[in-house]
Amino acid sequence: MAAVERIVIENCSIATVDAQDTEYATGYVVIAGNRIESLGAGKAPEGLTDVVRRIDASGHLVTPGLVNTHHHFYQWITRGLATDHNLFDWLVALYPTWARIDEPMVRAAAQGSLAMMARGGVTTAMDHHYVFPKGSGDLSGAIIGAAREMGVRFTLARGSMDRSEKDGGLPPDFAVETLEGALAATEATVREHHDASFDAMTQVAVAPCSPFSVSTELLKQGAELARRLGVRLHTHGSETVEEEQFCKELFGMGPTDYFESTGWLGEDVWMAHCVHMNDSDIAAFARTKTGVAHCPSSNARLAAGIARVPDMLAAGVPVGLGVDGTASNESGELHTELRNALLINRLGAHREAALNARQALRLGTYGGAQVLGRANEIGSLEPGKLADLVLWNLDTLAHASIADPVTALVFGAAAPVTASFVNGRQIVDNNHLLHVDEDAIARATREEARRLARIAAQG
């Protein structure tokens, strides 16, 4: 049996984000294979064998890798459009363009989205992809392939839409699937790609898009499918006041009650946004342990409002952070969401008591792992967990005079990533991706964005 190779990281500050929020002002982390073997204060233990690398991480903070809980990769090639629209107007403006995507476009967009996140400390990404035009190729395979090449841990939320304009929905008629087709394709994707193992690099969730783009039957049968296959469920929920009005007009109840009536509350469910939640809604999410993907920048970009994150956390709702699609968050980065989550929530009712730096870091790490159903494997630095971790360089002009490293990471400018490890394998070195060509990705995304714009302009 081959010996397990070890990597030793020393002389760093460590924020473990474990249940006790354990931190070390100066400590070490030992990676053995794809697991965290040990960590603690001071120097690494003497006598370690099979050490293949030692990293002097002086001036760095080591944290769990960031976990993105909501995204739409394909939107990377439609950034900067409809910049002054609310959600419904933005969707109406962009759906006709999105309905023309094909496999090369989706692959390039996935590479761009993943590259931006990975370079900024994301070790677990997800993509909610729900646009499958007829004849567009193997879009799910293209997305999963891009994540595999990048080296990130990944959840594909296989989305679907079957309520088009003719049925009172927002997508064009040619941009949706049939009920039967969506369910069959979703099941096929789960069976082909989902890995339920502890150290899985690829998982799949069942993810009808939203109440205003899918039928009640697709929601109900989608939930039944997910539970029969043993995978998680994801959708958009309570994002805007317009959505709430839509649900009340069409179904006679608000979004949370509607979701509950279709089997869409539970500890295997997480929803994006959840901006417009009353006390009863939050209580229902807490009672059922339904998770939330909080997307502060996207919510602000689309003027959706301020989600009640402090109230959700106080009630026991699992909450993680999401970039959301880059057509509504052009930066495409998750580490900036730590800061934005804190600042935007302080504009709400709780003011300065809304969130602190450590709560923001927990949202972006352990909270994300919770809502993806992977809190036993990732999200905190603990012996036995998977070696997904980031070395943030805080010995810089932007950060060196901030005494507390977690405050520097969250309140300060976006910190450079000296190294990022996923499953014990380094994927970022000094802010550069190790396994893909960033310049080639930039060129491909520019070309595919221009090609999509030309096709969309032809109508």
Side-chain angles (χ1 to χ4, degrees):
M1 184 175 174
V4 175
E5 295 183 341
R6 291 181 171 84
I7 299 171
V8 179
I9 304 167
E10 295 183 289
N11 306 318
C12 51
S13 299
I14 303 171
T16 68
V17 200
D18 65 9
Q20 292 75 40
D21 266 332
T22 306
E23 296 182 13
Y24 302 104
T26 305
Y28 70 90
V29 180
V30 179
I31 298 171
N34 72 341
R35 306 289 178 96
I36 297 169
E37 184 175 64
S38 63
L39 72 164
K43 293 288 186 182
E46 296 291 333
L48 290 172
T49 60
D50 300 301
V51 175
V52 297
R53 186 177 174 196
R54 287 184 179 270
I55 300 172
D56 179 0
S58 302
H60 288 74
L61 172 67
V62 176
T63 72
L66 300 183
V67 179
N68 182 27
T69 62
H70 186 65
H71 211 309
H72 308 295
F73 289 175
Y74 73 91
Q75 292 181 13
W76 187 265
I77 56 174
T78 58
R79 294 191 294 167
L81 305 177
T83 54
D84 303 312
H85 292 51
N86 66 31
L87 175 67
F88 276 22
D89 292 342
W90 174 83
L91 289 170
V92 169
L94 290 175
Y95 266 140
T97 298
W98 293 339
R100 268 83 177 180
I101 60 174
D102 59 23
E103 188 175 332
M105 292 176 190
V106 168
R107 179 175 181 77
Q111 289 176 319
S113 296
L114 286 159
M116 202 68 195
M117 283 187 291
R119 207 173 63 172
V122 169
T123 56
T124 297
M126 73 80 68
D127 183 30
H128 185 191
H129 188 88
Y130 51 83
V131 183
F132 293 90
K134 291 182 180 65
S136 55
D138 181 10
L139 305 189
S140 294
I143 296 163
I144 289 169
R148 187 177 297 117
E149 289 172 9
M150 198 74 55
V152 300
R153 208 174 296 283
F154 182 59
T155 294
L156 174 68
R158 203 291 180 183
S160 51
M161 300 187 294
D162 71 336
R163 183 193 294 277
S164 65
E165 288 174 324
K166 66 178 173 53
D167 306 309
L170 294 180
D173 295 340
F174 60 86
V176 303
E177 298 174 280
T178 65
L179 170 66
E180 296 76 13
L183 291 168
T186 300
E187 180 167 0
T189 303
V190 173
R191 293 194 181 281
E192 182 177 356
H193 296 291
H194 180 70
D195 180 357
S197 66
F198 183 89
D199 55 359
M201 291 297 290
T202 304
Q203 296 197 328
V204 180
V206 174
C209 182
S210 64
F212 47 84
S213 59
V214 306
S215 65
T216 299
E217 201 56 36
L218 181 52
L219 279 176
K220 287 181 176 178
Q221 292 192 37
E224 292 166 2
L225 174 65
R227 289 172 179 135
R228 175 164 57 83
L229 298 175
V231 298
R232 297 182 74 75
L233 301 84
H234 181 58
T235 191
H236 296 85
S238 301
E239 186 173 358
T240 65
V241 291
E242 291 85 4
E243 178 189 334
E244 186 169 10
Q245 292 165 355
F246 179 94
C247 287
K248 286 181 176 177
E249 290 172 8
L250 208 60
F251 313 121
M253 61 186 97
T256 299
D257 290 337
Y258 175 61
F259 282 127
E260 187 155 34
S261 75
T262 57
W264 270 79
L265 293 187
E267 61 184 353
D268 55 356
V269 180
W270 86 103
M271 297 193 195
H273 302 293
C274 299
V275 175
H276 296 276
M277 302 267 282
N278 59 33
D279 290 347
S280 173
D281 297 330
I282 292 174
F285 272 54
R287 169 174 49 82
T288 57
K289 298 300 180 187
T290 304
V292 171
H294 176 46
C295 306
S297 293
S298 176
N299 294 343
R301 158 76 150 82
L302 295 172
I306 302 172
R308 296 173 58 187
V309 172
D311 296 327
M312 294 178 194
L313 295 175
V317 176
V319 182
L321 291 181
V323 172
D324 202 9
T326 48
S328 64
N329 180 2
E330 275 75 4
S331 78
E333 297 182 307
L334 191 69
H335 61 315
T336 54
E337 297 303 286
L338 301 175
R339 184 172 190 263
N340 290 345
L342 184 148
L343 296 180
I344 289 174
N345 278 281
R346 286 190 177 188
L347 294 174
H350 295 275
R351 300 180 62 185
E352 68 275 9
L355 289 176
N356 61 38
R358 282 157 178 83
Q359 287 173 309
L361 178 59
R362 179 170 290 273
L363 289 176
T365 53
Y366 188 81
Q370 275 186 299
V371 304
L372 293 185
R374 305 205 65 176
N376 290 330
E377 303 108 296
I378 60 173
S380 60
L381 302 181
E382 301 178 67
K385 282 198 163 185
L386 296 169
D388 293 9
L389 52 89
V390 179
L391 281 68
W392 306 93
N393 185 1
L394 302 180
D395 196 18
T396 66
L397 173 64
H399 306 94
S401 61
I402 304 177
D404 174 60
V406 176
T407 298
L409 178 66
V410 175
F411 279 82
V417 173
T418 294
S420 182
F421 291 85
V422 181
N423 221 39
R425 176 182 185 235
Q426 189 171 353
I427 66 166
V428 176
D429 181 56
N430 287 317
N431 253 39
H432 290 287
L433 299 166
L434 286 175
H435 308 298
V436 295
D437 184 334
E438 295 177 35
D439 291 336
I441 291 172
R443 287 193 299 272
T445 57
R446 180 172 60 247
E447 290 165 4
E448 294 299 336
R450 289 173 176 171
R451 185 166 71 89
L452 177 58
R454 286 195 302 270
I455 292 171
Q458 293 166 3

